[in-house]
Amino acid sequence: MRRTDPANCRAAGAAGRAVPGGALHPGAWWLWALALGTAATRTTNPLLLALLIAVSAYVVVTRRPHAPWSRSYGAFVKLALAVLLIRLLFTTILGSPIPGTHTLLTLPEVPFPDWAQGIRLGGRVTAEGLTFALYDAMKLATLLICVGAANALANPSRLLKSLPGALYEMGVAVVVALTFAPNLIADVQRLRAARRLRGRPDRGVRGLLQVGLPVLEGALERSVALAAAMDARGYGRTAQVPPAVRRTTAALTLAGLLGVCAGTYGLLTAAGGTYGVPVLLIGVAAALAGLWLGGRRTVRTRYRPDRWDTRAWLVTASGAVVAALMFLAAARDPAALHPGVVPLEAPALPLWPAAAVLIGLLPAFVTPAPDHPAPAPAPAPAPAPAKEPS
């Protein structure tokens, strides 16, 4: 019988407990992306918004893993382009409250009664109104692309393991929703490729209808299999806790959420700047205490938990610095971050806010590169035919 070296067993056990590939904590990717999205909400300068999109896209291209759930970035980019087009279309048809002198075209206007004053359908379309709509839509489009970057970089199943116990059930629902879209996109691409190979149409209404039924069938099968797997693993079973702990948990969570809302309102208003920060900090502390107590109801273990290491701190800090500097720039020089459209003028790129946005590129240099899939082995050459004896 073959003997096993104990040292090799210990090494194999340590490798099994480590996170494969030294991947970054998924929460760091989400905090970085949400910080970039927060920075995008502080400006309507199209040059800064385009720079934020370029920064997130470069990090996604260089650090996106090779997994089915990481292919949804293109879908978020298409959704952002759809937001731009819909916003411009609504401005063209319904008009804009921004006055303008540069008329691009004049549509037939539908008259409305006196009680519908302020509503317009058709009429004059100005360059100032379209420019204002474009700037405003780019803000939302940049936020969507940043969320798409987080969805493409962070592993949703690993993110679920990192959530507190009190948020486990809600986290399962969110993770299932986030993984549904990438799997749906992968199914559509696979079925369209199969139809093209068979010489059948994959575009138009007919192709959409014939592809949609297998996609929905596959989604239903996955949902049934997921429900069976969750039930087999004891999902939904909770531990018994005293009633006093349940009441304390509910009180702390509710008070914390109210404190976070009041503190955020104080930070966004000029009158509440004095009490905004203390109330926000107290609310966050109460909410965290409620989550810690609520986690006692969930009895579960973590296999190979992700560690929050130095790289995770650097990635999170890079996004937080970008957001903080954009807040500072919006307070000191609002005209540079919000270019005017009346009179119509070309936007200028402010230098130090643009340099602040470039700090968001730090994850592309401090995080490990994704593991490339191993190439398929080459087929063995066929043996040469044996020569017949003369």
Side-chain angles (χ1 to χ4, degrees):
M1 188 174 76
R2 183 179 179 182
R3 297 182 60 185
T4 304
D5 190 1
N8 294 335
C9 293
R10 288 193 296 268
R17 289 190 297 270
V19 178
L24 190 71
H25 195 286
W29 285 124
W30 272 100
L31 292 177
W32 169 80
L34 292 178
L36 292 187
T38 304
T41 61
R42 308 308 301 173
T43 179
T44 56
N45 191 319
L47 301 180
L48 287 177
L49 293 175
L51 189 59
L52 281 169
I53 294 174
V55 166
S56 63
Y58 180 78
V59 175
V60 169
V61 170
T62 56
R63 291 298 179 262
R64 177 171 56 179
H66 302 277
W69 48 264
S70 64
R71 302 172 186 171
S72 60
Y73 184 72
F76 280 91
V77 173
K78 294 178 182 177
L79 180 60
L81 293 177
V83 167
L84 289 176
L85 295 178
I86 292 173
R87 184 70 170 85
L88 293 177
L89 181 62
F90 279 5
T91 302
T92 303
I93 297 177
L94 302 178
S96 174
I98 303 300
T101 57
H102 298 80
T103 303
L104 298 179
L105 71 156
T106 302
L107 299 176
E109 187 171 356
V110 178
F112 283 96
D114 297 336
W115 55 267
Q117 293 294 331
I119 302 176
R120 181 170 66 87
L121 185 60
R124 195 164 59 96
V125 181
T126 62
E128 289 84 356
L130 287 179
T131 304
F132 177 79
L134 178 64
Y135 291 174
D136 193 53
M138 281 192 66
K139 183 193 302 186
L140 179 57
T142 306
L143 181 59
L144 288 174
I145 291 176
C146 291
V147 173
N151 198 24
L153 292 169
N155 191 332
S157 60
R158 289 176 51 216
L159 181 64
L160 175 63
K161 293 196 304 181
S162 304
L163 288 178
L167 300 178
Y168 179 67
E169 296 179 358
M170 184 180 66
V172 169
V174 173
V175 168
V176 170
L178 289 176
T179 54
F180 177 77
N183 290 329
L184 196 66
I185 294 172
D187 287 347
V188 171
Q189 293 176 351
R190 176 176 55 83
L191 290 172
R192 290 183 61 186
R195 291 184 63 83
R196 285 195 298 267
L197 290 175
R198 293 182 177 94
R200 298 177 182 177
D202 62 325
R203 298 181 182 274
V205 179
R206 181 181 177 184
L208 180 62
L209 292 177
Q210 294 184 357
V211 168
L213 185 60
V215 169
L216 293 178
E217 183 181 357
L220 181 60
E221 291 178 356
R222 280 197 303 270
S223 62
V224 172
L226 178 62
M230 292 168 65
D231 183 71
R233 287 169 174 81
Y235 174 76
R237 294 174 176 84
T238 58
Q240 295 294 331
V241 294
V245 175
R246 292 200 300 267
R247 289 193 291 267
T248 305
T249 301
L252 286 175
T253 305
L254 181 60
L257 293 178
L258 292 177
V260 169
C261 294
T264 305
Y265 177 78
L267 290 177
L268 296 178
T269 58
T274 55
Y275 69 87
V277 175
V279 172
L280 180 62
L281 293 178
I282 294 174
V284 170
L288 292 178
L291 291 177
W292 178 76
L293 286 177
R296 298 174 61 181
R297 297 181 65 249
T298 304
V299 181
R300 64 190 183 98
T301 59
R302 289 186 176 93
Y303 176 67
R304 293 193 302 181
D306 293 298
R307 298 178 180 178
W308 194 276
D309 53 4
T310 305
R311 297 173 304 176
W313 282 113
L314 290 175
V315 171
T316 305
S318 65
V321 168
V322 173
L325 292 179
M326 290 297 288
F327 270 87
L328 182 62
R332 289 192 173 185
D333 192 6
L337 269 67
H338 300 276
V341 295
V342 180
L344 194 63
E345 58 183 9
L349 180 64
L351 294 182
W352 75 269
V357 173
L358 294 179
I359 299 176
L361 290 173
L362 184 63
F365 304 99
V366 300
T367 57
D371 296 331
H372 293 279
K387 294 183 178 180
E388 297 181 358
S390 58

